[in-house]
Amino acid sequence: MLSKLLTVALAASLATAQTFTDCDPTKRDDCPSRKAVGSKPVEVDFRKGHNSFFKEADGTKIEYRPDVGAVYSISNEKQAPTVGSNKYILFGQVDVTVRASRGVGVVTSFVLQSDDLDEIDWEWLGGDATQVQTNYFSKGCTETYDRGGYSPVADPINKFHTYTIKWTSEQLDWIIDGNVVRTLKNTGLGGCSGYPQSPMQIKLGTWVAGRKDAPQGTIDWAGGLTNFADAPFEGYYQSIRIVDYMGGKSEATEYKYGDRSGTWQSIKVINGGSDADDKSTTTKPSTKTSTSSSATTLSTSISSTAGTNNSSSTSAPASDATPTPSGTQGGENAAVTGPNTPNQTGAAGRINMNIGSAVVAALFGYLVL
């Protein structure tokens, strides 16, 4: 799939999200339905080897070791080992235990992404051992770039940490080792401020932003050119746990877009070939996620990892945090970033370029020039 490329031209000093989809359901009516994770959580320990829940992208070769798990190794700038899940979630919780790759210009990414280009990101720069970047996108909108944020984390390159995305129709939390470090509320706005809300695939990978033929903005964001004399650069994915909230339904086998709106209420949750029981959509508002004290209710907030422990563990029943049908969509983008935030923020396959220049973005959003 990485051989499928999309040429895009963007404004100077700006960054873009993932720009390719096999079939965008907001533009076409013939897009296929996607298999759902469903009510049974998926738990993968990569220290035990390959798991068929994830498919390796073309050109990807991953080693599995009992001490660290899946090894994503890069020895030259054209490598971008990537895997994608073979099933989707419609809201849910994903916990990934990972040790980011070292190396200036090398990027480690944990991304949720939908067919209509909603996106939720964790991203680590190999030259930064003090923090992690977060971002989100709605329907691939890249007209504004004020959604990125940074959260401190203790030595993510040399230490394993568990990074969580907890996602409901009302609220999105980024969590490190059980502590909520950023919260996004669904405020009902649209456009670039829209709230990610369509069925998502899980993607794990590493790629090279600090390559010689990359736009200067990309190189600057990545911290500089990658020195391959220090290769190989290795990122380690130890384990992952995936809970599907199924759009508030009690069971799901597939997700299909009911129209071109891309709203979560329009998604048809299929159970064994038929629409899931409508009665199961009557759920109460989620009350199980507590945010750190610095999190606000009307804007995106970013806080220290020393915040309040998240009250909903990865083992909590999905029904405790199922999304509430509310009739509101969209989100907000008032990202409160720290003093180290650069002019451009990172996300999966973030690409900076000059006006009128062309760049190629590969499937899964990783940089391929």
Side-chain angles (χ1 to χ4, degrees), residues 31 47 103 165 216 238 282:
C31 294
R47 292 170 296 185
I165 291 172
Q216 189 59 47
Q238 185 181 96
T282 306

Side-chain angles (χ1 to χ4, degrees), residues 34-42 53 85-95 110-115 120 165-168 196-202 241-247 252 254-255 257 264 267 269:
R34 297 298 185 181
K35 292 182 179 180
V37 169
S39 60
K40 184 178 180 180
V42 172
F53 183 79
S85 64
N86 56 31
K87 294 183 180 180
Y88 285 54
I89 64 173
L90 181 54
F91 305 118
Q93 181 166 316
V94 183
D95 307 272
F110 157 32
V111 177
L112 303 188
Q113 201 159 69
S114 69
D115 290 347
I120 305 169
I165 291 172
K166 184 170 183 178
W167 174 47
T168 74
Q197 59 190 280
S198 48
M200 297 261 195
Q201 181 186 29
I202 297 95
R241 186 176 193 272
I242 303 164
V243 177
D244 186 0
Y245 292 167
M246 302 173 291
E254 296 180 20
Y255 298 120
Y257 287 72
W264 71 268
I267 304 300
V269 180

Side-chain angles (χ1 to χ4, degrees), residues 36 45 87 89 101-102 124 172 204 232 246 272-273 303 312 325 347 365-366:
D45 186 343
K87 294 183 180 180
I89 64 173
S101 174
R102 64 179 179 85
W124 301 261
L172 169 61
L204 310 174
M246 302 173 291
S303 67
S312 179
Y366 298 110

Side-chain angles (χ1 to χ4, degrees), residues 310-322:
N310 179 38
S311 62
S312 179
S313 69
T314 57
S315 60
S319 60
D320 286 344
T322 47

Side-chain angles (χ1 to χ4, degrees), residues 111-151:
V111 177
L112 303 188
Q113 201 159 69
S114 69
D115 290 347
D116 63 6
L117 303 183
D118 280 352
E119 183 177 340
I120 305 169
D121 305 325
W122 283 103
E123 201 158 48
W124 301 261
L125 298 180
D128 187 348
T130 63
Q131 58 189 355
V132 59
Q133 301 186 24
T134 57
N135 214 335
Y136 72 97
F137 288 82
S138 175
K139 313 308 179 203
C141 184
T142 56
E143 295 174 7
T144 62
Y145 300 87
D146 51 2
R147 295 174 298 278
Y150 290 73
S151 295

Side-chain angles (χ1 to χ4, degrees), residues 32-362:
S33 59
R34 297 298 185 181
K35 292 182 179 180
V37 169
S39 60
K40 184 178 180 180
V42 172
E43 295 183 326
V44 178
D45 186 343
F46 293 112
R47 292 170 296 185
K48 297 180 180 179
H50 170 75
N51 188 283
S52 61
F53 183 79
F54 288 94
K55 180 180 179 180
E56 297 177 354
D58 291 348
T60 293
K61 294 182 179 180
I62 296 175
E63 176 190 1
Y64 296 89
R65 288 169 29 191
D67 55 340
V68 293
V71 181
Y72 288 61
S73 182
I74 290 179
S75 296
N76 63 68
E77 63 183 21
K78 297 189 181 299
Q79 292 179 318
T82 305
V83 302
S85 64
N86 56 31
K87 294 183 180 180
Y88 285 54
I89 64 173
L90 181 54
F91 305 118
Q93 181 166 316
V94 183
D95 307 272
V96 174
T97 300
V98 60
R99 211 178 99 188
S101 174
R102 64 179 179 85
V104 169
V106 178
V107 184
T108 304
S109 297
F110 157 32
V111 177
L112 303 188
Q113 201 159 69
S114 69
D115 290 347
D116 63 6
L117 303 183
D118 280 352
E119 183 177 340
I120 305 169
D121 305 325
W122 283 103
E123 201 158 48
W124 301 261
L125 298 180
D128 187 348
T130 63
Q131 58 189 355
V132 59
Q133 301 186 24
T134 57
N135 214 335
Y136 72 97
F137 288 82
S138 175
K139 313 308 179 203
C141 184
T142 56
E143 295 174 7
T144 62
Y145 300 87
D146 51 2
R147 295 174 298 278
Y150 290 73
S151 295
V153 59
D155 198 1
I157 294 173
N158 294 304
K159 296 180 180 179
F160 280 101
H161 294 276
T162 298
Y163 302 85
T164 299
I165 291 172
K166 184 170 183 178
W167 174 47
T168 74
S169 65
E170 299 173 328
Q171 180 171 306
L172 169 61
D173 290 318
W174 287 264
I175 304 167
I176 302 176
D177 295 331
N179 299 311
V180 176
V181 296
R182 182 180 181 185
T183 291
L184 175 71
K185 295 285 188 178
N186 184 348
T187 61
L189 299 179
C192 277
S193 301
Y195 185 78
Q197 59 190 280
S198 48
M200 297 261 195
Q201 181 186 29
I202 297 95
K203 301 173 182 178
L204 310 174
T206 56
W207 57 284
V208 182
R211 53 191 298 159
K212 293 178 181 178
D213 56 353
Q216 189 59 47
T218 301
I219 296 171
D220 292 343
W221 166 72
L225 290 171
T226 302
N227 181 5
F228 285 97
D230 297 331
F233 304 108
E234 296 180 344
Y236 308 108
Y237 287 89
Q238 185 181 96
S239 62
I240 187 169
R241 186 176 193 272
I242 303 164
V243 177
D244 186 0
Y245 292 167
M246 302 173 291
K249 302 287 186 175
S250 59
E251 187 55 87
T253 57
E254 296 180 20
Y255 298 120
K256 186 173 181 60
Y257 287 72
D259 56 35
R260 295 189 178 187
S261 68
T263 62
W264 71 268
Q265 293 94 334
S266 71
I267 304 300
K268 293 183 178 180
V269 180
I270 308 299
N271 180 14
S274 61
D275 288 355
D277 185 2
D278 288 340
K279 294 180 180 180
S280 64
T281 63
T282 306
T283 56
K284 296 180 180 181
S286 172
T287 59
K288 293 295 183 179
T289 301
S290 63
T291 60
S292 57
S293 60
S294 62
T296 64
T297 58
L298 299 178
S299 65
T300 300
S301 63
I302 299 160
S303 67
S304 168
T305 56
T308 304
N309 188 272
N310 179 38
S311 62
S312 179
S313 69
T314 57
S315 60
S319 60
D320 286 344
T322 47
T324 303
S326 61
T328 61
Q329 298 83 44
E332 44 69 46
N333 63 355
V336 182
T337 56
N340 295 325
T341 304
N343 291 332
Q344 59 276 341
T345 59
R350 210 61 58 236
I351 303 169
N352 295 286
M353 58 191 305
N354 294 326
I355 295 177
S357 64
V359 69
V360 178

